[in-house]
Coordinates of all heavy atoms in Angstrom, one line a residue:
S1 N 49.4 0.8 -1.5 CA 49.7 1.9 -2.5 C 49.4 3.3 -2.0 O 49.8 4.3 -2.6 CB 48.8 1.6 -3.8 OG 47.4 1.8 -3.5
G2 N 48.7 3.4 -0.9 CA 48.3 4.7 -0.4 C 47.0 5.2 -1.0 O 46.7 6.4 -0.7
E3 N 46.3 4.4 -1.7 CA 45.0 4.8 -2.3 C 43.9 4.9 -1.4 O 42.8 5.5 -1.7 CB 44.7 3.9 -3.5 CG 45.7 4.0 -4.6 CD 45.4 3.0 -5.7 OE1 44.2 2.7 -6.0 OE2 46.3 2.5 -6.4
A4 N 44.0 4.3 -0.2 CA 43.0 4.3 0.8 C 43.6 4.4 2.2 O 44.8 4.0 2.4 CB 42.1 3.1 0.7
D5 N 42.9 4.9 3.2 CA 43.4 5.0 4.5 C 42.9 3.8 5.4 O 43.5 3.4 6.4 CB 42.9 6.3 5.2 CG 43.3 7.5 4.4 OD1 44.6 7.7 4.2 OD2 42.5 8.3 3.9
V6 N 41.7 3.2 5.0 CA 41.1 2.1 5.6 C 40.7 1.1 4.6 O 40.1 1.4 3.6 CB 39.9 2.5 6.5 CG1 39.3 1.2 7.1 CG2 40.2 3.5 7.5
V7 N 41.2 -0.2 4.7 CA 40.8 -1.2 3.8 C 40.1 -2.3 4.6 O 40.6 -2.8 5.6 CB 42.0 -1.8 3.0 CG1 41.6 -2.9 2.1 CG2 42.7 -0.7 2.3
V8 N 38.9 -2.7 4.1 CA 38.0 -3.6 4.9 C 38.0 -5.0 4.2 O 37.8 -5.0 2.9 CB 36.6 -3.0 5.0 CG1 35.7 -4.0 5.7 CG2 36.7 -1.7 5.8
T9 N 38.0 -6.0 5.0 CA 37.8 -7.4 4.5 C 37.4 -8.3 5.6 O 37.3 -7.8 6.8 CB 39.0 -7.9 3.8 OG1 38.7 -9.2 3.1 CG2 40.2 -8.2 4.8
D10 N 37.1 -9.6 5.3 CA 36.7 -10.5 6.4 C 38.0 -11.0 7.1 O 39.1 -10.9 6.5 CB 35.9 -11.7 5.8 CG 36.7 -12.5 4.8 OD1 36.7 -12.1 3.6 OD2 37.4 -13.5 5.2
G11 N 37.9 -11.6 8.3 CA 39.1 -11.9 9.0 C 39.9 -13.0 8.4 O 41.1 -13.1 8.6
F12 N 39.3 -14.0 7.7 CA 40.0 -15.0 7.1 C 40.9 -14.5 6.0 O 42.1 -14.7 5.9 CB 39.1 -16.1 6.5 CG 39.7 -17.2 5.8 CD1 40.1 -18.4 6.5 CD2 40.0 -17.2 4.4 CE1 40.8 -19.4 5.9 CE2 40.7 -18.3 3.8 CZ 41.0 -19.4 4.6
T13 N 40.3 -13.7 5.1 CA 41.1 -13.1 4.0 C 42.2 -12.2 4.5 O 43.3 -12.2 4.1 CB 40.2 -12.3 3.0 OG1 39.1 -13.2 2.6 CG2 40.9 -11.8 1.9
G14 N 41.8 -11.4 5.5 CA 42.7 -10.4 6.1 C 43.9 -11.1 6.7 O 45.1 -10.6 6.6
N15 N 43.7 -12.1 7.5 CA 44.8 -12.8 8.1 C 45.7 -13.5 7.1 O 47.0 -13.4 7.3 CB 44.2 -13.9 9.1 CG 45.3 -14.5 10.0 OD1 45.9 -15.5 9.7 ND2 45.5 -13.8 11.1
V16 N 45.2 -14.1 6.1 CA 46.0 -14.7 5.0 C 46.9 -13.6 4.3 O 48.1 -13.8 4.1 CB 45.1 -15.4 4.0 CG1 46.0 -15.8 2.8 CG2 44.5 -16.6 4.6
C17 N 46.2 -12.5 4.0 CA 47.0 -11.4 3.4 C 48.1 -10.9 4.2 O 49.2 -10.6 3.8 CB 46.0 -10.2 3.0 SG 44.9 -10.5 1.7
L18 N 47.8 -10.7 5.5 CA 48.8 -10.1 6.4 C 50.0 -11.1 6.6 O 51.1 -10.6 6.5 CB 48.2 -9.9 7.8 CG 49.0 -9.3 8.9 CD1 49.4 -7.8 8.5 CD2 48.3 -9.2 10.2
K19 N 49.7 -12.4 6.8 CA 50.8 -13.3 6.9 C 51.6 -13.5 5.6 O 52.8 -13.8 5.7 CB 50.3 -14.6 7.5 CG 49.9 -14.4 9.0 CD 49.3 -15.7 9.6 CE 49.0 -15.4 11.1 NZ 48.3 -16.6 11.7
L20 N 50.9 -13.4 4.5 CA 51.6 -13.5 3.2 C 52.6 -12.3 3.1 O 53.7 -12.5 2.7 CB 50.6 -13.5 2.1 CG 51.2 -13.5 0.7 CD1 52.1 -14.7 0.4 CD2 50.1 -13.3 -0.4
A21 N 52.1 -11.1 3.5 CA 53.0 -10.0 3.4 C 54.2 -10.1 4.3 O 55.3 -9.8 3.9 CB 52.2 -8.7 3.7
E22 N 54.0 -10.6 5.5 CA 55.1 -10.8 6.4 C 56.1 -11.8 5.9 O 57.3 -11.6 5.9 CB 54.5 -11.3 7.8 CG 53.8 -10.3 8.6 CD 53.2 -10.9 9.9 OE1 53.4 -12.1 10.1 OE2 52.6 -10.2 10.7
G23 N 55.6 -12.9 5.3 CA 56.5 -13.9 4.7 C 57.2 -13.3 3.5 O 58.4 -13.6 3.3
M24 N 56.6 -12.5 2.7 CA 57.2 -11.9 1.5 C 58.3 -11.0 1.9 O 59.4 -10.9 1.3 CB 56.2 -11.2 0.6 CG 55.3 -12.1 -0.1 SD 56.1 -13.1 -1.4 CE 56.6 -11.9 -2.5
V25 N 58.1 -10.1 2.9 CA 59.1 -9.2 3.4 C 60.3 -10.0 3.9 O 61.5 -9.6 3.6 CB 58.5 -8.3 4.5 CG1 59.6 -7.5 5.2 CG2 57.5 -7.3 3.9
S26 N 60.1 -11.0 4.7 CA 61.1 -11.8 5.3 C 62.0 -12.5 4.1 O 63.2 -12.5 4.2 CB 60.6 -12.9 6.2 OG 61.6 -13.7 6.7
M27 N 61.3 -13.1 3.2 CA 61.9 -13.7 2.0 C 62.7 -12.7 1.2 O 63.9 -13.0 0.8 CB 60.9 -14.4 1.1 CG 61.6 -15.2 0.0 SD 60.4 -15.6 -1.3 CE 60.3 -14.0 -2.1
L28 N 62.2 -11.5 1.0 CA 62.8 -10.5 0.2 C 64.2 -10.1 0.8 O 65.2 -10.1 0.1 CB 61.9 -9.3 0.1 CG 62.6 -8.0 -0.6 CD1 62.9 -8.3 -2.0 CD2 61.6 -6.9 -0.5
F29 N 64.2 -9.9 2.1 CA 65.4 -9.5 2.8 C 66.4 -10.6 2.9 O 67.6 -10.4 2.8 CB 65.1 -8.8 4.1 CG 64.7 -7.4 4.0 CD1 63.4 -7.0 3.9 CD2 65.6 -6.4 3.9 CE1 63.0 -5.7 3.8 CE2 65.3 -5.0 3.7 CZ 63.9 -4.7 3.7
D30 N 65.9 -11.8 3.0 CA 66.8 -13.0 3.0 C 67.5 -13.1 1.6 O 68.7 -13.4 1.5 CB 66.0 -14.3 3.3 CG 65.7 -14.4 4.8 OD1 66.3 -13.6 5.6 OD2 64.8 -15.2 5.1
E31 N 66.7 -12.9 0.5 CA 67.3 -12.9 -0.8 C 68.3 -11.8 -1.0 O 69.4 -12.0 -1.6 CB 66.2 -12.8 -1.8 CG 65.3 -14.1 -1.9 CD 66.0 -15.3 -2.5 OE1 66.8 -15.1 -3.4 OE2 65.8 -16.4 -2.0
L32 N 68.0 -10.6 -0.6 CA 68.9 -9.5 -0.7 C 70.2 -9.7 0.1 O 71.3 -9.4 -0.4 CB 68.2 -8.2 -0.2 CG 67.1 -7.6 -1.1 CD1 66.4 -6.5 -0.4 CD2 67.7 -7.1 -2.4
R33 N 70.1 -10.3 1.3 CA 71.2 -10.6 2.1 C 72.1 -11.6 1.4 O 73.3 -11.5 1.3 CB 70.8 -11.1 3.5 CG 71.9 -11.3 4.4 CD 71.5 -11.8 5.8 NE 70.5 -10.9 6.4 CZ 69.2 -11.1 6.5 NH1 68.7 -12.3 6.1 NH2 68.4 -10.3 7.1
G34 N 71.5 -12.7 0.8 CA 72.3 -13.7 0.1 C 72.9 -13.1 -1.1 O 74.1 -13.4 -1.4
A35 N 72.2 -12.3 -1.9 CA 72.8 -11.7 -3.1 C 73.9 -10.7 -2.8 O 74.9 -10.7 -3.5 CB 71.7 -10.9 -3.9
A36 N 73.8 -10.0 -1.6 CA 74.9 -9.1 -1.3 C 76.2 -9.7 -0.8 O 77.2 -9.1 -0.8 CB 74.4 -8.2 -0.1
R37 N 76.1 -11.0 -0.6 CA 77.3 -11.8 -0.1 C 77.8 -12.7 -1.2 O 78.8 -13.5 -1.0 CB 77.0 -12.7 1.1 CG 76.6 -11.9 2.3 CD 76.0 -12.8 3.4 NE 75.7 -12.0 4.6 CZ 75.0 -12.5 5.7 NH1 74.6 -13.8 5.6 NH2 74.7 -11.8 6.7
S38 N 77.2 -12.6 -2.4 CA 77.6 -13.5 -3.5 C 78.9 -13.2 -4.2 O 79.4 -14.1 -4.8 CB 76.4 -13.6 -4.5 OG 76.3 -12.3 -5.1
S39 N 79.4 -12.0 -4.1 CA 80.7 -11.7 -4.8 C 81.3 -10.5 -4.1 O 80.6 -9.8 -3.3 CB 80.5 -11.4 -6.2 OG 79.7 -10.2 -6.4
V40 N 82.5 -10.2 -4.4 CA 83.2 -9.0 -3.9 C 82.4 -7.7 -4.3 O 82.2 -6.8 -3.5 CB 84.7 -8.9 -4.3 CG1 85.3 -7.6 -3.8 CG2 85.4 -10.1 -3.7
R41 N 82.1 -7.6 -5.6 CA 81.4 -6.5 -6.1 C 80.0 -6.3 -5.3 O 79.6 -5.2 -5.0 CB 81.1 -6.6 -7.6 CG 80.3 -5.4 -8.1 CD 80.2 -5.6 -9.6 NE 81.4 -5.5 -10.3 CZ 81.6 -5.6 -11.7 NH1 80.5 -5.8 -12.4 NH2 82.7 -5.5 -12.2
A42 N 79.3 -7.5 -5.1 CA 78.0 -7.4 -4.5 C 78.2 -7.0 -3.0 O 77.3 -6.2 -2.5 CB 77.4 -8.8 -4.5

């Protein structure tokens, strides 16, 4: 959100958060790509 410049956590939690974010970004763009090909208007 930009509310902090440094966010601290333990390595287990941080790694899970980071990989979840990477997976969400990948899934989001896959979904957008699929939706954009679903019709002529899309």
